[in-house]
Amino acid sequence: MTSTAPHQSILDKPFVLDLFAGPGGLDVAGQALDIPSLGIEWDKSACLTRYAAGLDTLHADVSAIRRDGFESLPPEINVLAGGPPCQTYSVAGHGAGREALEKVKRFIDRLIDGEPDEAIDEDLKKLSDPRTALVLEPLRYAIQATRSPNRENRPYDVIVLEQVPTVLPVWRHYAEALEERGLPEVPGHGRVKYAVDFGVLATETYGVPQTRSRAVLIARRLELGEPSLPSPTHHAYEPRGWNRRSAAAETQGHQPTLYADDDIVPEPQRSPETAAAGEPKKRWKSMGDVLGNRVGAHPGRPTPFLVRSNYGSSGVSGRRGVRTDQQPAFTVTGRISRFVVFEHLNERVVCEGPRFSMNEAGMLQSFPPDYPWSGTAQAQQVGNAVPPAFGMHLLSAALGLPEPDTEILRKPWQAATEEQRAKRRSHGCGSADACTERCPRPEDQVPPPSSRPRRTGKA
């Protein structure tokens, strides 16, 4: 899949290193923009999806590659991207990351001061959840690039990061460090400083058919000019302005009984950064816009339909929200397979229909139809991914490219042949058909039990 639109990047040959690459959202975006990428991912199933999709991949621990394999990375990589795991920062998580934010900021300062990795690693072991430290890896990679003989100590030209909104204070501290102090001094090179822009963006304003807010950061070396966050191309979805009854009456001439005001789950307020990004141009995309028509192996889902989600409900059924096919989806998470879909609406009958397939769930994330989801925990893979349409806008803004045409993502994805898949797995795992000793062990991927009690939604 390639874009036919001519473009001129601020870089002659952009090449992306995608940390915590997941099943390939940012890499799919890169392919649509004709930008090569290499992803590092330690989850076996996500790697199987990537191999099946034909994406260049290392099945590895991001931290281990930085420590022991950095010199093996292609030296021509000049764009660093990453979406560190968000569980400990997420509102839905136990909150270890939110409690550790101030500690993380101090670690950022110590890294910028050039403290030895060994001392920092020892102190990072004291965090209650080691995943919290992963948000530091992009900075540590940026520093490592300036120490790499294979790269001749050449820093990354562009950095692109995204995470859940609660990580915005970390990105703000990243920005202050990169702009005001720069990366630690390297003999003969001095400190490398960046121009940075950051904020919280709503993905539906970039053509993604779901409401999903993300904290993003774009940095460029000062010599490459000031970056700016991508301007929205679509209107924001405002739930208070959505009249379910009017929409139902327009479509059906009557009102289904599931349209209850107290079913509505309030959406998070949009940030000032989103409003400042510019006035969106088009109507947001709805679930029906992307799922209603036949494309590739997707047969098209009959409309109208309703979706009841447990996102944001804390397990309390009475708080579960309902949306119609004329609205964007709720945030697609690893619980997407639990969303209940109702079809055949009329005045008295609302029947439960088939739940979203992984293909449909991926399309709600803006993945192309027929994307080859593989391995286990596919719903989690879908929910954790960067929406490719959003990724196209982030990369385009970071590299100074024109506004991308995300409609290219509506074309069915051509999966890799067996030969292509085997070649990529040989590179990523060390064997054409199996993991090897160099791959992360599954038991190492299970997070430690939290010391905090899990929230149940009970008073």
Side-chain angles (χ1 to χ4, degrees):
M1 173 183 294
T2 58
S3 172
T4 58
H7 59 257
Q8 181 62 51
S9 169
I10 60 171
L11 304 178
D12 289 337
K13 295 181 179 179
F15 187 168
V16 178
L17 177 63
D18 186 8
L19 308 180
F20 313 101
L26 198 65
D27 306 80
V28 170
Q31 283 207 16
L33 295 169
D34 296 326
I35 298 172
S37 63
L38 170 65
I40 303 177
E41 174 57 43
W42 83 336
D43 179 73
K44 177 180 178 180
S45 291
C47 286
L48 292 178
T49 294
R50 295 178 60 87
Y51 299 145
L55 302 176
D56 288 333
T57 304
L58 291 178
H59 182 195
D61 180 348
V62 164
S63 301
I65 290 292
R66 173 181 52 79
R67 289 192 303 266
D68 306 318
F70 194 92
E71 295 304 298
S72 67
L73 296 175
E76 60 269 29
I77 288 173
N78 51 13
V79 179
L80 178 68
C86 67
Q87 290 92 335
T88 63
Y89 292 94
S90 173
V91 173
H94 295 159
R98 296 196 301 279
E99 293 181 352
L101 279 175
E102 293 305 316
K103 293 181 181 178
V104 168
K105 291 178 185 179
R106 289 195 288 272
F107 278 116
I108 291 173
D109 292 335
R110 291 173 61 183
L111 287 166
I112 291 295
D113 287 339
E115 281 197 33
D117 284 339
E118 295 77 12
I120 290 176
D121 287 339
E122 281 301 311
D123 288 340
L124 285 172
K125 292 177 182 178
K126 301 173 185 177
L127 294 174
S128 60
D129 189 329
R131 295 175 299 178
T132 302
L134 295 178
V135 77
L136 298 170
E137 283 298 334
L139 178 59
R140 303 188 80 173
Y141 265 74
I143 294 171
Q144 190 66 28
T146 67
R147 301 170 176 171
S148 168
N150 191 39
R151 296 179 55 86
E152 299 180 344
N153 301 342
R154 180 169 50 86
Y156 295 119
D157 294 311
V158 174
I159 301 172
V160 181
L161 306 176
E162 68 90 38
Q163 250 281 10
V164 294
T166 48
V167 181
L168 188 65
V170 176
W171 291 166
R172 180 178 288 108
H173 208 68
Y174 260 63
E176 293 170 355
L178 293 172
E179 287 183 322
E180 298 174 8
R181 300 175 62 193
L183 301 178
E185 185 170 355
V186 177
H189 291 265
R191 281 187 173 268
V192 177
K193 293 186 178 181
Y194 290 80
V196 186
D197 197 5
F198 63 94
V200 175
L201 303 178
T203 61
E204 83 270 15
T205 65
Y206 300 95
V208 179
Q210 65 166 301
T211 50
R212 185 188 193 97
S213 296
R214 305 300 288 178
V216 301
L217 176 148
I218 296 176
R220 293 181 189 165
R221 284 195 304 107
L222 287 180
E223 296 86 345
L224 297 173
E226 291 278 344
S228 59
L229 299 182
S231 297
T233 55
H234 293 67
H235 286 286
Y237 171 73
E238 299 294 347
R240 292 179 181 177
W242 173 257
N243 190 323
R244 283 187 168 90
R245 290 180 173 82
S246 295
E250 180 179 330
T251 304
Q252 292 287 78
H254 50 255
Q255 177 197 331
T257 57
L258 280 182
Y259 292 122
D261 289 340
D262 55 5
D263 276 336
I264 301 174
V265 178
E267 292 286 321
Q269 294 296 310
R270 301 303 179 195
S271 71
E273 289 87 347
T274 300
E279 182 65 26
K281 303 173 183 177
K282 307 170 187 175
R283 175 185 179 273
W284 36 259
K285 287 189 176 181
S286 69
M287 291 181 279
D289 290 337
V290 296
L291 300 183
N293 297 322
R294 175 186 297 273
V295 56
H298 174 60
R301 179 174 282 270
T303 58
F305 61 81
L306 294 171
V307 177
R308 184 186 287 277
S309 165
N310 61 4
Y311 178 70
S313 67
S314 300
V316 180
S317 60
R319 292 179 56 195
R320 292 174 182 170
V322 175
R323 289 188 183 175
T324 78
D325 60 279
Q326 298 179 60
Q327 297 169 273
F330 291 96
T331 301
V332 174
T333 70
R335 296 180 177 180
I336 183 66
S337 58
R338 303 182 191 178
F339 288 13
V340 181
V341 183
F342 298 92
E343 298 179 345
H344 310 299
L345 282 65
N346 62 40
E347 291 183 352
R348 296 183 177 82
V349 180
V350 180
C351 300
E352 183 174 338
R355 300 197 180 194
F356 290 133
S357 67
M358 285 305 100
N359 188 21
E360 290 177 315
M363 292 168 70
L364 293 176
Q365 275 275 59
S366 75
F367 275 87
D370 302 340
Y371 196 71
W373 302 101
S374 304
T376 61
Q378 293 181 16
Q380 197 66 47
Q381 291 184 51
V382 174
N384 288 344
V386 176
F390 186 56
M392 289 181 69
H393 282 277
L394 290 181
L395 290 177
S396 295
L399 296 171
L401 298 174
E403 180 182 296
D405 180 9
T406 59
E407 287 301 306
I408 192 173
L409 299 172
R410 296 285 293 149
K411 298 180 179 180
W413 185 268
Q414 295 298 316
T417 65
E418 285 300 315
E419 181 180 359
Q420 292 169 333
R421 182 204 61 80
K423 180 179 179 180
R424 281 173 170 77
R425 190 165 190 183
S426 292
H427 178 245
C429 288
S431 172
D433 57 6
C435 287
T436 65
E437 290 183 355
R438 79 185 197 192
C439 298
R441 299 179 302 171
E443 56 266 31
D444 292 337
Q445 300 182 33
V446 178
S450 173
S451 60
R452 291 173 57 88
R454 183 179 298 274
R455 288 179 289 179
T456 63
K458 297 180 179 179

